[in-house]
Amino acid sequence: MEENIDSLEDENGSFPQHLEADVVQEVLKSGTDLRQYSLQIEKRLKEVENKSIQDYIKESQNIASLHNQIAACDSILERMESMLLSFQSDLGSISSEILYLQRKSVSMSQQLNNRQGIRGQLSQFIDDIAVSDSLMGGILESPVTEKDFVTQLAVLNHKINFVKEQSFKVKACSDVKDVLEKLKISAVSKIEVYLLEQIYKFRKPLSNYQVPQNTMLKYKFFYEFLLTHERCVAQKVRKEYVDTMSKIYYSYFSTYSKRLKGLQYEDSATKKDLMGIEDTASRVPFMKSSLKQKNTVFTIGNRGEVLATQFEAPIIVPHAAQEQDMRYPFEALFRSEQYALVDNACREYLFVTEFFMVRGTQAQDLFDKILGRTLNLLVENLEKFVQESYDAIALFLCVHLVLRYQLLCHKRAVPALDRYWDGLQALIWPRFERIIRMNIESVQNCDTLKFSKELRPHYITRRYAEFSAAIVGISETFPNELVNRLLAELQEQVEFFILRMAAIFPQRKEQLIFLINNYEIILGVLMERTRDTSKEADSFRDQLNSCSNEYVEEILSPHFGGIMQFVKEGEALLEKGQTEDLKAQEGKALALVQSFSNNWKQSLEELNQEVLTSFPSLLTSSSLLQLAFKQLVQYYHRFHKLLSPTARGQLTNIHLIIVEIKRYKTNF
């Protein structure tokens, strides 16, 4: 039991707490007397205590030495505490001094900043108000074109404005006011003389006024100085410029317009040159001269180039053109005149807005003062031409020139000519509409009995084709509802005329030939000069197809009419389910088969000759012939389906027919 107890003790002779309950429980189980067990424990504790005392005695010297060391450390720590307390006291006083110095430094820094700010303002004020020798020398002695004058003028402008602002606050401004006023008068006088000299240069004969304009723009600050400090002088300079340029532009365009007018074709369209007017011998000289010198009234030819390659081409030089004896249609002269106006007007507008510093309505008013007379002159010249003109193509080209030049002005950021362009259109459109309606009435009122019976395209049809193609081609870029409506009315009357002319032929086949020839010429011209998708082309294409199909039926009927009729009747019987009635027609079918087998080659040759001689255009005749053969083959297939097996065996092989048809196919 004692051994068990010894084994449970730790190195200090005591039991671990977690084992006490277990030990007691073990003792109780073993039946040991607890009192005895208590005495044993007490004895054991005394032994442990005695061992501890012995250990302490052995280490007594070390413990004494440790005590002495601890006492010495306490003494040192006490002295250090005293020193630290002294340092803390010293640091507290130093911190107070630092805070005092910091506040004083901030105060002194603020005072320094305030003094420096005042010094800077005073220095700037003195610089702004003081009149230096260099300023007086630059204004009084330097020519206006020298850099020193321009530089000192900007300085003077600043000082004058500054003194005006500060004069009611600072009395010192009055000390320099008189000096600045004298310098201003001197500068204004020199600037006025210089600008007027530049303006007077415009008046020299054959002068290039762009040069003095560019020079004035280089010194545009001069006018700004005048406008700010001497408005009456600025107004004088501007008035002088406006008067001078107004006369220059008016004189230039007046002369230029007169010289251009001398280059116009002597022959011009009259009221006898309408679409429906009969083409008599009295008009031959006019037509001949027109063909030599210009296109006809109804054909555009190369006149449309004024909207393309010639649109921004150099303007016509009258004396050079006269030396070469050149003549032009009106729209070419109009283009040259308007392009010259666009160049000059755009340059002028940009100049006045930049130099005279105007915008909006002020810029428009100033521009109108300069170019107003010139614009009125050009409007009057156009009005004279429009009132007497019967050349609708020329007028329509002029309208589109106006639209394109207006767009060009907008691209150059010049809206000043908008009212002018609108005025030109207001002049042209009513006359253009009137001429178109006169042409419509001439076609409507023409007497078809006066014309010769010819199957070829009528000259009125040719006129319409060329004229319609010209108007449609021109208007593709800028479509117009009025133009579309007028063309629709003209087209309607021309269609009526063609039908009325066709009615004078007694036979339907001749009528169809006439209609095809006329529709073909109209469609050909429209497709050549305009887009294939135009409404006019679609309309005549439909009518041409309809007439072509009917014509094919007409020319096939004399040769293969029996088969065609049998096919139509037989298919009708099949639709009604009357097959027995169809079988009853077998004898007739055999006769048709025999007749076809004997004559089909000769019939193809006769068809070929008839079609080729009926149409002036080989392309038209070839297409119609191929259409006829195609229709024949279709009838033949349908005929084949209706025949009995016996009759089919006697029928000519379709491949032989197709091979023969290919002989008539042209290669163009």
Side-chain angles (χ1 to χ4, degrees), residues 371-389:
L371 277 161
R373 289 182 62 202
T374 301
L375 298 180
N376 291 335
L377 172 68
L378 298 181
V379 170
E380 291 173 1
N381 292 342
L382 178 64
E383 187 175 11
K384 292 177 182 178
F385 170 79
V386 168
Q387 289 175 349
E388 301 173 356
S389 176

Side-chain angles (χ1 to χ4, degrees), residues 365-415:
D365 293 342
L366 185 58
F367 179 84
D368 290 341
K369 290 178 181 178
I370 296 173
L371 277 161
R373 289 182 62 202
T374 301
L375 298 180
N376 291 335
L377 172 68
L378 298 181
V379 170
E380 291 173 1
N381 292 342
L382 178 64
E383 187 175 11
K384 292 177 182 178
F385 170 79
V386 168
Q387 289 175 349
E388 301 173 356
S389 176
Y390 288 87
D391 190 348
I393 292 180
L395 293 178
F396 200 52
L397 287 171
C398 290
V399 166
H400 281 263
L401 283 170
V402 168
L403 292 172
R404 284 166 169 77
Y405 281 132
Q406 186 172 14
L407 184 60
L408 180 61
C409 288
H410 288 174
K411 288 181 179 178
R412 296 181 181 182
V414 178

Side-chain angles (χ1 to χ4, degrees), residues 15-261:
F15 298 103
Q17 289 183 351
H18 66 281
L19 298 177
E20 287 179 357
D22 295 337
V23 172
V24 174
Q25 187 176 5
E26 185 68 28
V27 171
L28 291 174
K29 287 181 180 181
S30 64
T32 305
D33 187 0
L34 291 176
R35 287 175 292 181
Q36 183 65 30
Y37 178 71
S38 175
L39 291 174
Q40 290 177 0
I41 294 301
E42 185 176 356
K43 180 181 178 182
R44 185 64 178 162
L45 289 173
K46 286 182 180 181
E47 290 176 358
V48 172
E49 183 180 358
N50 289 332
K51 289 180 181 180
S52 298
I53 292 172
Q54 291 299 324
D55 291 336
Y56 283 130
I57 292 172
K58 290 178 183 180
E59 298 294 332
S60 59
Q61 291 182 354
N62 293 332
I63 292 172
S65 174
L66 178 61
H67 175 73
N68 292 333
Q69 290 178 5
I70 292 172
C73 288
D74 286 342
S75 176
I76 292 171
L77 290 173
E78 184 178 359
R79 289 198 302 274
M80 288 181 67
E81 181 182 8
S82 176
M83 290 174 63
L84 290 174
L85 290 173
S86 175
F87 287 155
Q88 183 179 10
S89 176
D90 293 341
L91 287 173
S93 61
I94 290 172
S95 176
S96 299
E97 291 180 2
I98 290 174
L99 290 173
Y100 169 76
L101 292 174
Q102 185 178 11
R103 292 190 186 97
K104 190 172 183 179
S105 175
V106 170
S107 175
M108 293 176 68
S109 177
Q110 184 63 42
Q111 291 176 2
L112 178 62
N113 289 335
N114 292 338
R115 290 179 180 179
Q116 287 179 343
I118 293 173
R119 178 183 178 185
Q121 292 179 2
L122 287 174
S123 177
Q124 184 62 45
F125 178 81
I126 292 172
D127 289 341
D128 289 337
I129 200 173
V131 179
S132 63
D133 293 339
S134 60
L135 173 61
M136 291 189 291
I139 297 298
L140 298 175
E141 298 176 5
S142 299
V144 295
T145 55
E146 288 190 2
K147 184 178 180 180
D148 185 49
F149 179 84
V150 178
T151 303
Q152 297 303 329
L153 185 66
V155 174
L156 176 62
N157 179 62
H158 172 73
K159 290 183 180 298
I160 294 174
N161 293 332
F162 182 79
V163 169
K164 286 181 180 179
E165 294 175 0
Q166 300 295 327
S167 59
F168 66 95
K169 299 178 183 178
V170 183
K171 293 183 178 180
C173 292
S174 59
D175 295 339
V176 296
K177 204 168 186 179
D178 293 341
V179 177
L180 292 176
E181 183 66 22
K182 292 178 181 179
L183 289 175
K184 183 191 78 172
I185 293 172
S186 177
V188 167
S189 177
K190 295 174 70 174
I191 291 172
E192 178 185 5
V193 171
Y194 175 76
L195 292 179
L196 291 177
E197 286 177 354
Q198 297 302 313
I199 293 172
Y200 293 151
K201 290 180 180 179
F202 294 119
R203 302 177 180 179
K204 295 180 180 179
L206 303 178
S207 64
N208 184 0
Y209 57 85
Q210 297 179 30
V211 175
Q213 272 187 342
N214 292 335
T215 303
M216 291 175 70
L217 284 177
K218 184 179 178 182
Y219 300 105
K220 61 182 179 180
F221 179 68
F222 289 174
Y223 182 78
E224 182 180 351
F225 184 85
L226 294 180
L227 195 63
T228 304
H229 304 293
E230 203 65 49
R231 185 170 291 271
C232 60
V233 177
Q235 291 175 348
K236 177 182 177 181
V237 170
R238 188 170 74 173
K239 183 178 182 303
E240 194 68 30
Y241 177 84
V242 169
D243 293 343
T244 299
M245 295 308 297
S246 175
K247 294 175 182 178
I248 289 174
Y249 283 126
Y250 182 81
S251 175
Y252 169 76
F253 278 98
S254 177
T255 304
Y256 187 65
S257 297
K258 289 179 182 178
R259 292 181 177 178
L260 283 180
K261 189 175 182 181

